[in-house]
Amino acid sequence: FAFIVGNEAYLGKSGGSIFEPLTNINNELLEVGEQLKELGFEVTSLINQNKVNLEREVAKWTQKIPGNAEALIFLSGHGMELHGEHYFASVDYTNHDIETIVQTANDKCVTLGWICKRVLGVLRPEGLLMSFWDYCREDAMKGAKLDIVRGSVLDPMIRNTDKLVSEFAKEMSRSASHLLVSVSRPGTLSNQEQAGGVLTEALLAWWRHPKYGTLSICDAQVREFIVKNVKESRRRDATQQQQIDWIWVGKRRHFRFRPGIDSSAAHANAGDIDVEDKHASLAPSAAATAASNAHIEIGGLARKTVVEWIEPNWSELKLDAPTKALWPFKIFFVGANSSENPDLSLKKEFEMMQRAFHEQFHSLADQDKPFLKQIPYSTCEIEQLMDQVGREYPTILHFSCHAQTSGVNLYEKTVQPQQMIPAIRHHNEFARKIGKTEIHVMILNACESDEHAEKLLACVDFVIGRSGAVGDRDAIAFTDSFYSNLFKGLHLADSLSIARSISSKGYRLHAQKDPRGFRLSS
């Protein structure tokens, strides 16, 4: 599976941008796409993307790749480095100064880390991610401005690739193999004279070569071939020294773009060969086919494949637009452990919600701020919970607890949807009558809660449930990502899609109204 992006239509000085338009990126992207299709990849290709569109497309792409996928990402365009992170610039990027650069970069760029974490979040240990970044690393703080930041509190803004690699190694919990290749020279353009990229040219030469195209990506000869091609590129200014990063994070995988003898695998010691090396890796087309079967045979082990929820095409359903949530909105977090089940990390989950909440709304005056509340653990009856709901009129009810087919475990009680529906329906009818906010969204962050979520749709516009079991870590990751994006103004459907892509695809949305019309914004 390949996800390739090229940005060339930057605004330039005439449009108030620090980034000049690039040429030939679109043509080279077509060339890369055709070559990868010939090699058996299923290709998603995008040109001239802004931040919102690109993040949305990444989220969609990660939903369709299986856990054992051999995934490839290719980006070509302008970029920067700050805080040890690599930023890929949107085509609508304009300008910044020393005070606003970090905020502007976050608003108008997609980071390498953001994309890779989302892909690695859906890959299992037998998966592989290959990232190729042919982007211009413009020095974000040129000339005299560097003198301002060196030795000051802003010094961490100076580039630090080692820090980036360290972060990947620390956060890549699923241990999928990751090869990261980038070519540029910090402080200069990798796409010299606004022409196509030097790495793009080298990659195409590699994939087409009768010898090097058949070698493993672990083979030192492949890296040497890329380095040589970059140095000899006709597009490279002879006065510039290109920086080539060829970095492995996690176990190395002996993947080949073309069939042939894998010299590095053939000479590997038996003790150094990974499980993946002992068995032929699944070609992209085979991986896609295998993912539809009941079991996938990988490394001699049978792994059960869960049938995942496929997000519907909301526009085709022609659902009504939801009623706008009144500002400032309120969210209730209902966390409940049970003496019969292992304790959940409820405090940590709520803290992640608080962090995302404060990051987005800390600058607002108190009277304008939304409201996030944790329901006390002493609440043990649905009637007591609804009494608090009836006093404060929340927009979202978030339940984090245990559940099973018989109901949702609230404290020491098992509550069935049929017990909750009349109370919530009555509350919403009264809220509408007096002009208060209804409960629009309910979230059941609990194992086996999808069936209950579907029933609860009888009393609210949207309910999110979970099909199958969910681990504590995935549940917290879902909450963190979902609310971070919802608080930033993304609509409900996109917030869910992104959260599913980095935590678990078992989360499902049941909707009476169009989820693309529901946002938490002033």
Side-chain angles (χ1 to χ4, degrees):
F1 292 83
F3 185 87
I4 64 176
V5 184
N7 279 357
E8 68 175 23
Y10 292 93
L11 301 175
K13 291 181 181 178
S14 61
S17 175
I18 62 170
F19 295 125
E20 291 298 320
L22 300 170
T23 59
N24 207 41
I25 299 296
N26 193 10
N27 292 335
E28 286 196 337
L29 195 73
L30 292 172
E31 200 172 353
V32 168
E34 289 303 314
Q35 183 60 60
L36 289 172
K37 288 177 183 177
E38 181 187 316
L39 295 172
F41 282 80
E42 179 183 315
V43 178
T44 299
S45 179
L46 303 169
I47 188 72
N48 294 329
Q49 297 292 296
N50 61 28
K51 176 185 173 73
V52 173
N53 288 341
L54 182 53
E55 288 184 344
R56 181 184 298 116
E57 293 301 322
V58 169
K60 289 180 181 177
W61 184 66
T62 55
Q63 289 182 50
K64 73 177 184 179
I65 61 176
N68 65 323
E70 287 145 348
L72 183 150
I73 297 173
F74 171 86
L75 294 188
S76 183
H78 280 297
M80 301 182 294
E81 290 185 62
L82 296 168
H83 291 304
E85 180 61 280
H86 298 221
Y87 290 78
F88 184 66
S90 295
V91 290
D92 58 354
Y93 198 106
T94 53
N95 212 333
H96 58 243
D97 55 35
I98 190 67
E99 288 80 20
T100 64
I101 180 172
V102 175
Q103 183 61 48
T104 306
N106 286 329
D107 291 343
K108 291 293 185 180
C109 298
V110 180
T111 67
L112 181 154
W114 185 92
I115 295 176
C116 289
K117 286 175 186 175
R118 267 107 192 117
V119 180
L120 292 169
V122 301
L123 293 180
R124 298 194 296 268
E126 62 269 19
L128 169 66
L129 172 60
M130 296 170 281
S131 304
F132 298 102
W133 307 86
D134 197 359
Y135 63 105
C136 314
R137 277 190 264 182
E138 286 281 24
D139 195 332
M141 302 173 181
K142 292 181 178 177
K145 290 185 178 180
L146 281 175
D147 296 330
I148 297 174
V149 299
R150 285 196 178 107
S152 72
V153 294
L154 296 176
D155 192 64
M157 292 184 183
I158 303 299
R159 295 170 306 277
N160 185 349
T161 300
D162 290 339
K163 178 182 176 183
L164 176 69
V165 176
S166 174
E167 288 299 310
F168 277 144
K170 181 174 66 176
E171 297 185 19
M172 194 179 63
S173 60
R174 294 179 184 265
S175 302
S177 302
H178 183 193
L179 172 64
L180 189 156
V181 180
S182 64
V183 174
S184 68
R185 180 178 184 269
T188 66
L189 294 173
S190 62
N191 295 354
Q192 295 300 325
E193 300 178 356
Q194 284 70 55
V198 293
L199 177 59
T200 306
E201 184 181 83
L203 290 175
L204 289 170
W206 169 26
W207 298 336
R208 293 167 177 167
H209 199 280
K211 173 186 175 183
Y212 295 104
T214 65
L215 297 182
S216 165
I217 55 177
C218 296
D219 198 310
Q221 296 180 72
V222 171
R223 185 182 185 280
E224 291 168 3
F225 179 80
I226 294 292
V227 171
K228 180 180 178 181
N229 271 265
V230 169
K231 289 181 177 179
E232 294 178 353
S233 173
R234 65 181 183 277
R235 299 185 182 125
R236 189 179 67 83
D237 185 337
T239 64
Q240 301 290 353
Q241 183 63 47
Q242 299 295 328
Q243 174 173 306
I244 303 173
D245 295 325
W246 188 284
I247 301 165
W248 275 99
V249 182
K251 292 183 178 180
R252 299 191 177 198
R253 280 283 306 275
H254 295 293
F255 175 81
R256 299 188 298 263
F257 282 91
R258 294 181 180 276
I261 297 173
D262 189 337
S263 60
S264 56
H267 291 89
N269 293 325
D272 296 331
I273 299 177
D274 300 334
V275 170
E276 294 87 349
D277 300 331
K278 298 176 183 177
H279 301 267
S281 60
L282 290 172
S285 56
T289 302
S292 64
N293 296 332
H295 292 78
I296 301 176
E297 194 73 21
I298 299 169
L301 301 175
R303 294 177 179 269
K304 187 176 181 180
T305 300
V306 178
V307 178
E308 304 289 2
W309 174 66
I310 303 300
E311 186 170 7
N313 186 331
W314 299 111
S315 60
E316 290 182 355
L317 297 181
K318 297 181 180 179
L319 298 172
D320 294 335
T323 304
K324 184 177 180 181
L326 298 180
W327 184 272
F329 62 83
K330 295 182 180 181
I331 298 176
F332 277 12
F333 177 87
V334 184
N337 276 312
S338 167
S339 60
E340 297 181 358
N341 296 288
D343 280 355
L344 305 172
S345 302
L346 301 175
K347 180 180 178 182
K348 183 175 181 181
E349 183 176 355
F350 183 69
E351 286 174 350
M352 299 302 281
M353 288 178 67
Q354 284 182 310
R355 179 191 60 77
F357 183 86
H358 290 304
E359 282 181 358
Q360 193 64 29
F361 304 117
H362 72 277
S363 61
L364 295 179
D366 288 343
Q367 65 271 20
D368 297 326
K369 280 186 178 178
F371 185 72
L372 174 63
K373 180 175 182 177
Q374 183 175 17
I375 300 299
Y377 293 143
S378 58
T379 300
C380 59
E381 300 286 351
I382 187 65
E383 290 80 8
Q384 291 176 304
L385 170 62
M386 292 309 301
D387 182 58
Q388 294 195 49
V389 168
R391 291 198 300 268
E392 303 194 49
Y393 298 96
T395 300
I396 298 177
L397 267 182
H398 179 108
F399 293 88
S400 186
C401 54
H402 291 285
Q404 58 276 324
T405 54
S406 59
V408 178
N409 293 350
L410 290 185
Y411 312 99
E412 299 303 323
K413 303 277 187 175
T414 299
V415 180
Q416 297 179 341
Q418 292 86 339
Q419 297 173 263
M420 303 171 71
I421 290 171
I424 295 172
R425 184 179 284 157
H426 175 75
H427 166 83
N428 279 350
E429 289 173 354
F430 184 73
R432 283 195 296 271
K433 184 176 180 180
I434 64 173
K436 295 287 189 178
T437 297
E438 305 171 45
I439 298 172
H440 289 280
V441 183
M442 293 182 68
I443 297 170
L444 305 182
N445 197 3
C447 302
E448 309 292 353
S449 59
D450 184 61
E451 183 179 342
H452 308 314
E454 187 174 8
K455 293 177 181 177
L456 287 167
L457 193 64
C459 59
V460 295
D461 292 340
F462 310 102
V463 191
I464 295 174
R466 164 75 201 189
S467 174
V470 59
D472 214 20
R473 179 183 295 177
D474 279 344
I476 293 171
F478 173 82
T479 296
D480 181 26
S481 175
F482 177 77
Y483 285 103
S484 292
N485 288 290
L486 200 62
F487 292 156
K488 289 176 183 177
L490 271 67
H491 59 62
L492 186 65
D494 275 355
S495 299
L496 174 69
S497 295
I498 295 171
R500 291 178 73 240
S501 72
I502 69 167
S503 59
S504 169
K505 293 185 179 181
Y507 290 95
R508 306 184 183 205
L509 171 62
H510 301 273
Q512 289 195 69
K513 304 289 181 67
D514 190 337
R516 299 170 302 168
F518 184 85
R519 301 175 188 269
L520 295 179
S521 57
S522 58

